[in-house]
Amino acid sequence: MAVPSSLLLLILAATLSVAVAYDPLDPNGNITIKWDVMSWTPDGYVAMVTINNYQTYRQIMAPGWTVGWTWARQEVIWSMVGAQATDQGDCSRFKANLPHCCRRTPAVVDLLPGVPYNQQIANCCRGGVLPAYGQSPSSAAAAFQVSVGQAGTTNRTVRLPRNFTLLGPGPGYTCGRARVVPSTVFLTADRRRKTQALMTWNVTCTYSQHLASKYPSCCVSFSSFYNDTIVPCAKCACGCDREGKRLAVTGKKHDANAHGRGNGVAAAAAMEAPLLQCTPHMCPVRVHWHVKLNYKEYWRAKITIVNFNYRMNYTGWTLVAQHPNLDNITEVFSFDYKPVVSYGSINDTAMFYGLKYFNDQLMEAGPHGNVQSEVLMRKDARTFTFRQGWAFPRKVYFNGDECQMPPPDSYPYLPNAAPPAAASLVGSAVAMAALVFFLMA
């Protein structure tokens, strides 16, 4: 029996929408927004809203998250603690005691640090910054309290909000429908008594790099001690023309604010656009993997992350690499490290991030706009080789976005005339000199 073409298109669209938001290195990663109704009011309810980041290595950086939704009826927000709506809307129908927000589609943002204590609540007021769960599980959550009016006052009369949106801080997240789930159970401070929410619903949001941008946001370059060839990022790896939305400068000395001077929308748009150092790849971030040394039982790689964006620094950055020898890391010298085990016992992926108060902030482009570390790995005699590009990672992610890799046929090759030990003595000096020049460029 022939299948109608319209049905085939529907199935294909559904398949693609799921595939686009799927990350094979973090298959269960998502952001869950949970609403717990804590009490009923004469015309509505008071809810505690919690935003949990269950993504292993993708954080939400400044200026932070924005959560939006559409009310099912004519609900209003009487008050909020720990967050605020960005627009009050038209509240002219109220004579006194104006609501906090009357919009049918409110947009809510976190409060900044340092607000008065009577406006704070636990896990609020961090400017919308939400660390990755794999990096800091204890702080990978945000919360706020909302008092809703002109709404249902029982489990049967409450209508769930719909059309949830999440900006983190830009586009890329797609949220599903709100679904009622078993009520959340809470423990008192002395952990001797349980209470539970009157009603709970969840919203799950997943991230797609393709929805966030049609271009990658980082690229990868390679070099090795056994070959003096440095494989750069591909030309225009991150797009050389973003329809006029990207600014670039050729010199290292510049006035970053000059591009944002003036009045009106043009000046605001200029300040939001990245200001990049002009490079052949035009990527905001480059990750360089250098195969540095070869020992009898170990080998060493050097990782350097360079920021080419003059308008952004990356606080709490993360770097994820996939390589078969990352299951046998002996020491990481200047980064923190955690294995990322997504499938059973397969341990070929590692997450690196900066040491607190040392290099956990990747500064804006310039002399200090880089962080670096070295990784010492023990060889596995069954699989180890320097041939056919084996020593280089299969995938690299920076801040949760997959980086553009060089073409496989361009990887530094192992000279056939010299064994690895001889190559390490002959080529190290030349390779290191070329590498220093490349990284400083």
Side-chain angles (χ1 to χ4, degrees), residues 12-133:
L12 179 61
T15 304
L16 288 176
S17 64
V18 173
V20 163
Y22 177 76
D23 185 349
L25 298 187
D26 190 17
N28 300 315
N30 69 79
I31 290 182
T32 299
I33 305 172
K34 182 175 67 170
W35 288 56
D36 290 311
V37 176
M38 306 304 293
S39 63
W40 302 113
T41 62
D43 72 334
Y45 57 89
V46 175
M48 179 67 68
V49 182
T50 307
I51 305 171
N52 292 290
N53 186 5
Y54 294 121
Q55 298 174 113
T56 303
Y57 44 78
R58 182 175 295 108
Q59 60 165 313
I60 293 181
M61 298 194 311
W65 51 263
T66 301
V67 174
W69 62 84
T70 301
W71 291 118
R73 294 176 177 172
Q74 299 298 320
E75 292 89 340
V76 296
I77 299 176
W78 281 116
S79 63
M80 300 189 75
V81 181
Q84 64 182 359
T86 58
D87 187 356
Q88 183 183 29
D90 182 6
C91 296
S92 59
R93 68 182 186 272
F94 295 90
K95 303 303 181 183
N97 298 327
L98 295 181
H100 176 79
C101 179
C102 299
R103 287 185 57 87
R104 189 151 186 249
T105 57
V108 174
V109 296
D110 196 10
L111 296 180
L112 297 175
V115 298
Y117 287 110
N118 62 352
Q119 299 179 27
Q120 296 185 27
I121 203 167
N123 291 325
C124 85
C125 312
R126 297 196 293 256
V129 174
L130 202 57
Y133 186 82

Side-chain angles (χ1 to χ4, degrees), residues 198-258:
L198 304 176
M199 184 178 183
T200 300
W201 61 83
N202 281 351
V203 178
T204 301
C205 303
T206 54
Y207 179 82
S208 167
Q209 185 174 345
H210 300 286
L211 294 178
S213 174
K214 65 178 181 179
Y215 296 105
S217 58
C218 53
C219 64
V220 182
S221 56
F222 292 146
S223 62
S224 66
F225 69 85
Y226 53 78
N227 192 314
D228 58 2
T229 300
I230 296 177
V231 179
C233 291
K235 185 177 180 180
C236 297
C238 298
C240 286
D241 181 17
R242 291 196 177 183
E243 300 174 355
K245 295 182 181 179
R246 166 180 288 185
L247 300 174
V249 293
T250 55
K252 293 185 179 180
K253 293 184 179 179
H254 67 288
D255 181 1
N257 293 323

Side-chain angles (χ1 to χ4, degrees), residues 93-332:
R93 68 182 186 272
F94 295 90
K95 303 303 181 183
N97 298 327
L98 295 181
H100 176 79
C101 179
C102 299
R103 287 185 57 87
R104 189 151 186 249
T105 57
V108 174
V109 296
D110 196 10
L111 296 180
L112 297 175
V115 298
Y117 287 110
N118 62 352
Q119 299 179 27
Q120 296 185 27
I121 203 167
N123 291 325
C124 85
C125 312
R126 297 196 293 256
V129 174
L130 202 57
Y133 186 82
Q135 187 177 8
S136 180
S138 61
S139 58
F144 59 89
Q145 180 180 288
V146 57
S147 178
V148 182
Q150 296 190 354
T153 56
T154 68
N155 291 43
R156 292 190 176 185
T157 57
V158 167
R159 293 293 179 265
L160 307 188
R162 52 178 182 256
N163 300 334
F164 277 85
T165 60
L166 173 64
L167 299 178
Y173 285 95
T174 302
C175 299
R177 296 176 57 185
R179 299 184 182 277
V180 176
V181 297
S183 296
T184 304
V185 175
F186 304 94
L187 285 174
T188 57
D190 59 7
R191 307 185 69 84
R192 300 176 64 185
R193 170 177 163 78
K194 293 181 180 180
T195 61
Q196 72 176 43
L198 304 176
M199 184 178 183
T200 300
W201 61 83
N202 281 351
V203 178
T204 301
C205 303
T206 54
Y207 179 82
S208 167
Q209 185 174 345
H210 300 286
L211 294 178
S213 174
K214 65 178 181 179
Y215 296 105
S217 58
C218 53
C219 64
V220 182
S221 56
F222 292 146
S223 62
S224 66
F225 69 85
Y226 53 78
N227 192 314
D228 58 2
T229 300
I230 296 177
V231 179
C233 291
K235 185 177 180 180
C236 297
C238 298
C240 286
D241 181 17
R242 291 196 177 183
E243 300 174 355
K245 295 182 181 179
R246 166 180 288 185
L247 300 174
V249 293
T250 55
K252 293 185 179 180
K253 293 184 179 179
H254 67 288
D255 181 1
N257 293 323
H259 296 271
R261 293 184 183 134
N263 298 319
V265 177
M271 287 305 297
E272 292 177 359
L275 180 65
L276 303 182
Q277 182 178 330
C278 192
T279 59
H281 53 76
M282 288 305 295
C283 289
V285 172
R286 182 187 68 201
V287 180
H288 186 78
W289 181 285
H290 174 65
V291 181
K292 185 176 181 179
L293 289 172
N294 180 34
Y295 306 103
K296 182 178 180 180
E297 296 183 353
Y298 301 90
W299 65 290
R300 186 189 296 243
K302 182 176 181 179
I303 302 172
T304 305
I305 309 171
V306 182
N307 185 5
F308 293 98
N309 191 344
Y310 287 106
R311 285 186 179 152
M312 179 178 289
N313 56 44
Y314 298 88
T315 301
W317 57 267
T318 62
L319 179 74
V320 172
Q322 185 182 39
H323 187 282
N325 213 162
L326 290 176
D327 64 344
N328 215 350
I329 291 180
T330 301
E331 187 173 359
V332 179

